[in-house]
Every structure is written in C-alpha cells, then in structure tokens.
Amino acid sequence: MNPRQLFLQHLAPTSPSPLMLEIERAEGMYLYDPAGKAYLDLIAGISVSNLGHRHPRVLAAIQAQLDRYLHTLVYGEYVLDPQVQLAKLLADNLPDSLESVYFVNSGTEATEGAMKLAKRYTGRAEIVACKRAYHGSTQGAASLMWPKEFTQPYHPLLPGIRHIEFNCTWCLKEITENTAAVIVETVQAEWGVRPPVDGYLQKLRERCTEVGALLILDEIQVGFGRTGSLFAFEQYGIVPDVLLLAKGMGGGMPIGAFVSSRAIMQVLSENPILGHITTFGGHPVCCAAALANLQTLLDTPYIAEVKAKEALFHQLLQHPKIREVRSAGLLMAMDLGSFDAVLRVIHDCLAQGLISDWFLFNTESMRIAPPLIITEKEIAWACGVILAALDAL
C-alpha cells in the first residue's frame, strides 16, 4: 500500500475530505511533494513555522541536544539547561510580572493549565471567554468555545463558562467578583482576524483588576513576532496576569507554555502539591529548539519587517471579488463573501503550488499567515497566484 492508502486506512480522520497533499521534505518557505513539486507555505503550518521550515539554527540546536539527553523525568524535578535557559530568555523579554514559566506540549495544554491556575489562585469557579475564539480542543479548552456546533456532541463540558462578545465594552459588566479569569485572544484569529479596537484591551484590563479576576491573554497564534512585535500585547499598552504561548514558539517542534508571576504560579505547588503535572512538557529537545527559535527572532530583522510586508500584501491584493483584507501583521484574512469562493481559490492556488486555508469560525475568508522570512518577491508571486485564481471564479 502506498502512503496515501495507509493515510486513509490507519490515520484517525478529522474531516471527510482532507487535502491529501503528500509531503516528502520541507525547507525555508517551501514544502515539496514526492515528485519534487514545490509549494510555497502561505500559512506556516497555522502560524507555527515563523522562521520557515527547518531553520539551520533550530536544526543545530536540536542536534546538539540529541547528543546530550532526551527525556529524563517528569517536568519540574530536574534542573535541565534547555528549560532554564529558555525560561530565562522568555522572562528577559517579558514584563517583570511575567517571570515564571510552566512548559507544556501544546496550546490547548497551556489553556488547561491556565484555567486551573486561575481557579486555584482566586478560589472562584467562573471563567469568561469571548465568542468565536479558539483556545484548543480538549474538554476544558473546548468548554470555552462558542458557537457550540463543534462541541455539542461532546456535552456536558465544564460548567461555569460565560461568553461575551469580543470588542464589546458594554459586555465587560458580565465580569464580576465571581469571575476567576477572563481568557481572550489578543487578536481573534479564527474569527477571521479581528484586532481589538477602541481601547478594548485596556478597558478589559481595568475591569479584571477592579473585580479581582485574572486576565489571561492567549497569544498561541499571534506570539513570536507574527503581528510585528515579539508579543502582540506589547502594542496595546497592557500586561496580562497569565500569558499563553505555543505554535510559533518551537521553530516547528511541539511546545507550549503558560507564564505568570511567581506569586500566582506558586499555588500549583502546594495544598495540594503537584497541582499541575506533565510528563513530556518542557521536553529538552523542544526547549532547545524553542531557545534557538527565540534567539534567532531577537537577532534578526524579521519581526521589524512584518509591518512592511503586511502593507505589501494590502497593496497587491486588490480585486473586485475581495470584500476586505483584515490583518494584524502577517496574520491576514482575505474576505471573499462565501465558502464556495474561498474553497475554489484555495484549490486553484494549491494546483499552482501555493498553500492556504480558511478559518474555523469564518469560512468566508482565506487565511494568509506566511513564515516571517517571506521575501517581497515571494509575496508578489503569491499575490499573483491568488489574483489569477480570483479571475477564474
């Protein structure tokens, strides 16, 4: 049986119609199929490969760690150099109150850990989340999801979840002294890229402080330079109580984290001890890769170039069939008005060697979220392919 047949027979499905693009290798901006055809990756594995695929510094860090040790013991018992160096570099580039890092394996695990942390620290049970936000698919994280079409078959999920509209300052009154935490994406990604407006995040920060609720910012998709600063919240003049990280963190390796103050994080270690544990969280190879990834982002001009590249996409993506292009740096949504149009453009682009996608809560928009290393020439080529696909609609 060939790999495509094995895929269909043995890999658990997530949809009835997967793309079925067979990948042989990857390098930089490109994925390659077994015939050697190159595909420019315009979505970076859903905002994961911010430095592109197989960045040399990330590969070197992985190889060096392979020669030292792999798994040693459950997270939090041994002093492991890749973990502590990564935690220090993160803390050095975050506000002083975000000094304590808990490493996990993914974004959804970061969400789960932060939810437990907020309940334990505040002694409250209620969590407020925004509608059309995505924080993960495990049962706790999925409980935060609205609309419920993706979760209804798995109910009952967690009780005590209240949903409000993103960017609605009037809705902030729903946050009360019963609220343990408000969890919100700094930029709503899966709703088709919706940045905060009219001082929304500042007002949200003030309301959380007023009622004693923790503010949890989910930067799983927008962190590590995607919006034009290392962390998106830096552009909005606020500091969260808890920060969620993953996706672009590991340079292509699986890793996530929730970050808070030592005073808040301390509660997970007592009454009871081992309040949150993980076997593979903070895996030494993943931490080594993430350390190299972060150091490279800090050493290179890629983040500083994001805004100019964003502007170039806006300049080139001009077509009567494009209703709107919304963006936060190199996280962009091209609104075409219907899922049929989006699907046709995506498949036309794929045939020409350009990979894109849509959004979980917005099927009328096409996702554009390339590695930050994309060049102006590659942007121009990608936009040309998209415009040709739009002409063919």
Side-chain angles (χ1 to χ4, degrees), residues 1 136 370:
M1 297 179 72

Side-chain angles (χ1 to χ4, degrees), residues 176-195:
T176 71
E177 285 79 5
N178 295 321
T179 306
V182 180
I183 179 168
V184 60
E185 296 170 282
T186 311
V187 175
Q188 280 208 316
E190 295 305 317
W191 190 19
V193 186
R194 312 283 178 164

Side-chain angles (χ1 to χ4, degrees), residues 226-279:
R226 181 142 301 276
T227 68
S229 54
L230 186 58
F231 302 105
F233 73 83
E234 296 175 284
Q235 300 175 38
Y236 299 101
I238 65 162
V239 177
D241 298 299
V242 186
L243 179 67
L244 309 185
L245 303 171
K247 288 192 180 292
M249 182 176 181
M253 293 293 282
I255 187 171
F258 56 104
V259 188
S260 190
S261 68
R262 286 181 54 81
I264 293 175
M265 203 73 86
Q266 185 70 25
V267 301
L268 293 178
S269 67
E270 56 191 16
N271 299 319
I273 64 168
L274 304 177
H276 194 68
I277 53 177
T278 171
T279 297

Side-chain angles (χ1 to χ4, degrees), residues 84-143:
V84 297
Q85 294 303 325
L86 175 57
K88 181 182 185 302
L89 190 59
L90 281 168
D92 287 347
N93 288 277
L94 284 166
D96 290 345
S97 59
L98 296 173
E99 58 183 339
S100 184
V101 184
Y102 196 114
F103 291 119
V104 290
N105 301 285
S106 65
T108 191
E109 289 182 56
T111 300
E112 295 281 354
M115 292 171 73
K116 289 175 65 178
L117 178 65
K119 289 181 175 182
R120 175 69 179 84
Y121 182 75
T122 64
R124 304 172 183 178
E126 179 185 86
I127 293 179
V128 173
C130 286
K131 297 178 180 180
R132 293 172 293 273
Y134 180 74
H135 303 288
S137 289
T138 51
Q139 289 197 70
S143 301

